[in-house]
Amino acid sequence: MQKISLFIGILICFYASVTTLQAQNPASVDVNNLSDQQIQQIVTEVNARGLTIDQAAQMAQMQGATPIQIEQLKRRIQELNLSKADSTTNRTPKNSQKSNLKKEVYSEKAIIKGSPGNKRIFGFQFFNSDKLTFEPPVNMPTPQNYVLGIDDELMVSIWGASQQTYQLAIGTNGAVNIPDIGPVYVSGMEFSKAKELIKRRLIAIYSGMDGQNPNTYAEVSISNLRSIKVNVIGEVMAPGTYTLPSTASAFNALYLSGGPNENGSFRNIQLIRDNKTIKTIDVYDYLINANMEGNIQLREQDIIYIPTYQKRVEASGAFKRTGLFELSEKEKLSDLIRYLGGFTDQAFKAQL
C-alpha cells in the first residue's frame, strides 16, 4: 500500500506531503493491480486541482514514474470512462465494472534441479543462477527498431489546441484503424517509422499539427506488446513451448528452459526460423567476451535447437576456473586456458 500511495501522491502533485515514503520506488508500482477505487481517486484529485491527466502524468514522470506506467494508467482511465483528456473540473467518476484490460500470461522459468554433473559444466549456472537472470523484458521502453506485428496495441495522445486519446490495436489485416482517417498499415514496420506515418496521417484531421508553428501535438507509444510462442527442443533442461513478450531474445528463452542439459552444447545452439538456421549461438562468446551478437530478437514460432556437444574437456588444478569445458573442433590448448581464466599464482606450469 505504501508504494501505491506514493504513486498516487506523485500523480496528483502530493509528492511533498508523502516525504516519509520517498525511499520507495514509484517505478515498482504495478498500475494494472490498482483497484477501480484507486483509479477513481486519482482522477478525482487531479480534476480537483484543475489539471488534465496529461499534465499530472508529466509531473509523475519527472518524479520517477515510467512511461509504461503512465500509458497503463491512461488506458485504465479510458476503459473505465472516468475522465476525458481535456477534463479540468472536479467531478465524481461513474461507477464501472472491473476493467477488461488485456493482460498477457507469459511462461515462467522452469524449475531446474541441476545434478552434480550439470553444475560442473561451464555455462550451466548462467541460465540457472539466482543472482543472474535473463527474464523476458516487459516493463521497459520499446526499442525504436522494434518491428510491429498483429495484436500489438498503440496509444496515440493528442494535446495542445485539440486533445484526444486513441487506443489502437493492430488487426489481422496489419493495420490500425483511426476514426475519421481509416486503416493505417503498420505491421512489419519498425516502431520509429510507424510513429512518423501515423503522425502524418493525423494531419488530415488535426491541421494544427502541420506548419512551422504547430499548436497541436501527437505522441505515439506502445501500450501493449503482443505475445509470441517459441519452441525450445533438443538437449535442453526443460524442453517445450514458451510464451514470451515479442521483445524477447534467444537468451530469454534459454533462461526459461534452463539452458542445455548435461549432454547439450553451449557452443552450437541453433535458432531456426522458417526451416532455416538463421543464427548459431555460442554462449561462451558472451561469457568470455561479453559479446551479445548471438542474442537476437525472437519471432513467432521460432525454434531453438540444442544439439549434443562434440568435444568436452575436464580441467582441474591451479586454474582460475575448473570444471568441464566445451571446445570446438578447431580450438587448441591455448583457447582452453583462456576459458579457464589462466593460471593461479600457485600454478607450476612445467607440470601442465
Side-chain angles (χ1 to χ4, degrees), residues 231-264:
N231 299 304
V232 186
I233 61 175
E235 299 295 334
V236 58
M237 294 297 296
T241 300
Y242 291 85
T243 302
L244 304 97
S246 50
T247 52
S249 65
F251 281 2
N252 298 140
L254 288 170
Y255 169 78
L256 293 179
S257 64
N261 61 21
E262 196 165 347
N263 294 319

Side-chain angles (χ1 to χ4, degrees), residues 181-352:
I181 292 179
V184 180
Y185 295 91
V186 295
S187 182
M189 187 178 295
E190 289 187 357
F191 177 49
S192 59
K193 296 179 180 178
K195 286 200 306 183
E196 295 305 315
L197 174 60
I198 291 173
K199 289 180 180 180
R200 289 198 303 269
R201 295 293 299 275
L202 286 170
I203 294 175
I205 56 175
Y206 297 101
S207 58
M209 293 177 57
D210 200 11
Q212 297 294 325
N213 299 300
N215 60 9
T216 304
Y217 309 91
E219 179 60 35
V220 182
S221 57
I222 297 180
S223 57
N224 191 65
L225 294 170
R226 69 186 187 277
S227 62
I228 59 173
K229 293 185 182 299
V230 175
N231 299 304
V232 186
I233 61 175
E235 299 295 334
V236 58
M237 294 297 296
T241 300
Y242 291 85
T243 302
L244 304 97
S246 50
T247 52
S249 65
F251 281 2
N252 298 140
L254 288 170
Y255 169 78
L256 293 179
S257 64
N261 61 21
E262 196 165 347
N263 294 319
S265 171
F266 284 82
R267 310 294 307 277
N268 190 32
I269 300 173
Q270 299 169 29
L271 177 57
I272 301 172
R273 182 176 298 162
D274 298 330
N275 295 322
K276 296 180 181 179
T277 300
I278 65 165
K279 192 69 178 180
T280 298
I281 302 169
D282 183 352
V283 177
Y284 280 25
D285 197 23
Y286 174 76
L287 295 177
I288 303 299
N289 305 318
N291 186 356
M292 293 286 287
E293 182 181 352
N295 190 29
I296 67 175
Q297 185 175 327
L298 298 172
R299 294 185 184 177
E300 177 72 19
Q301 293 302 316
D302 275 352
I303 296 173
I304 296 178
Y305 171 65
I306 303 178
T308 57
Y309 71 88
Q310 295 300 309
K311 183 167 61 176
R312 189 177 284 168
V313 177
E314 181 176 4
S316 60
F319 297 106
K320 293 178 181 177
R321 303 188 189 100
T322 59
L324 296 172
F325 292 79
E326 184 179 349
L327 298 179
S328 66
E329 289 300 322
K330 295 181 180 181
E331 288 182 322
K332 303 176 182 179
L333 178 61
S334 58
D335 297 303
L336 174 62
I337 293 175
R338 182 165 61 90
Y339 297 151
L340 298 174
F343 301 94
T344 66
D345 295 338
Q346 290 76 35
F348 183 51
K349 300 176 184 179
Q351 291 290 337
L352 180 62

